[in-house]
Amino acid sequence: MIVKPASQGSSVGMSRVERASELPAAWRAATQHEPVAFAEPWITGAEYTVAILQGKALPAIRIETPRSFYDYEAKYLRNDTRYFCPSGLAVAAEADLAALALSAFDACGAEGWGRADFMMDSQGRALLLEINTVPGMTDHSLVPMAARAAGIDFDELVWRVLETSLVRTTC
Ligand SMILES: Nc1ncnc2c1ncn2[C@@H]1O[C@H](COP(=O)(O)OP(=O)(O)OP(=O)(O)O)[C@@H](O)[C@H]1O
Ligand SMILES: [Mg+2]
């Protein structure tokens, strides 16, 4: 299983647990950050993220790391994390992932822009890990990477994100 703090980000406080004896330390690591932690079954499979901009999904990114999972080190410190965009998924699977990302976003009442993270299980089913409502926006971040693949440069992306914050009035 994997143990996570309930509302952190950047994989902070997360541990993979392979045997019961590792659980107390994983729980302590997670609850160092906040009182609520949870555990999920470990998923073995490829990892994908789908950025959403103005109600549409951008091309999926497949993430590969030689580490046990996409942890803090793999995200920010290592140079052996690999990102593939286009993701290598077949057209239909890419469309399914995009639809799933949009419906997850919708189900949470999110709108505008963001990112949904997935893993594929051994049967090729996409499992939603989480949605991110304010994902990273450095020039190395995943949303700008997906936007680039769709022909949207960083400045244009920032404008489009700002456009999502324009308030609609009904009067
Ligand atoms: N159930 C799982 N099975 C296997 N690996 C997992 C599982 N859940 C998460 N992971 C790994 O841990 C990473 C971080 O998980 P998650 O996205 O839930 O955390 P986060 O801290 O909210 O991340 P973010 O920086 O995207 O906000 C995932 O990208 C994935 O590599
Ligand atoms: Mg994540």
Side-chain angles (χ1 to χ4, degrees):
M1 65 176 76
I2 184 160
V3 176
K4 310 180 176 185
S7 62
Q8 300 295 303
S10 301
S11 303
V12 167
M14 292 176 44
S15 317
R16 179 177 181 166
V17 170
E18 290 181 80
R19 47 192 69 81
S21 59
E22 295 169 359
L23 191 53
W27 199 260
R28 275 195 301 276
T31 52
Q32 246 179 24
H33 300 278
E34 59 183 276
V36 182
F38 66 102
E40 285 176 2
W42 181 263
I43 305 158
T44 301
E47 174 155 6
Y48 297 86
T49 192
V50 176
I52 291 168
L53 181 61
Q54 296 175 313
K56 294 199 181 97
L58 294 175
I61 301 171
R62 179 165 52 89
I63 300 161
E64 280 185 14
T65 169
R67 294 178 67 73
S68 156
F69 67 95
Y70 189 35
D71 62 2
Y72 186 89
E73 267 206 60
K75 283 178 181 173
Y76 304 110
L77 305 176
R78 309 264 298 207
N79 56 15
D80 56 3
T81 306
R82 304 211 293 159
Y83 301 94
F84 300 88
C85 190
S87 65
L89 284 171
V91 174
E94 172 93 19
D96 282 351
L97 208 58
L100 213 48
L102 291 171
S103 48
F105 217 57
D106 199 41
C108 295
E111 58 181 45
W113 73 294
R115 221 186 68 221
D117 298 337
F118 297 94
M119 293 193 71
M120 292 283 186
D121 71 4
S122 49
Q123 283 119 59
R125 275 183 315 176
L127 302 174
L128 176 73
L129 294 182
E130 59 158 354
I131 65 159
N132 299 277
T133 51
V134 188
M137 274 291 285
T138 71
D139 55 4
H140 283 70
S141 298
L142 298 168
V143 175
M145 194 183 296
R148 242 183 344 264
I152 302 167
D153 70 19
F154 192 77
D155 289 355
E156 171 73 14
L157 173 63
V158 170
W159 271 115
R160 296 223 198 162
V161 167
L162 285 173
E163 278 173 4
T164 69
S165 68
L166 297 176
V167 178
R168 242 173 280 120
T169 56
T170 48
C171 53

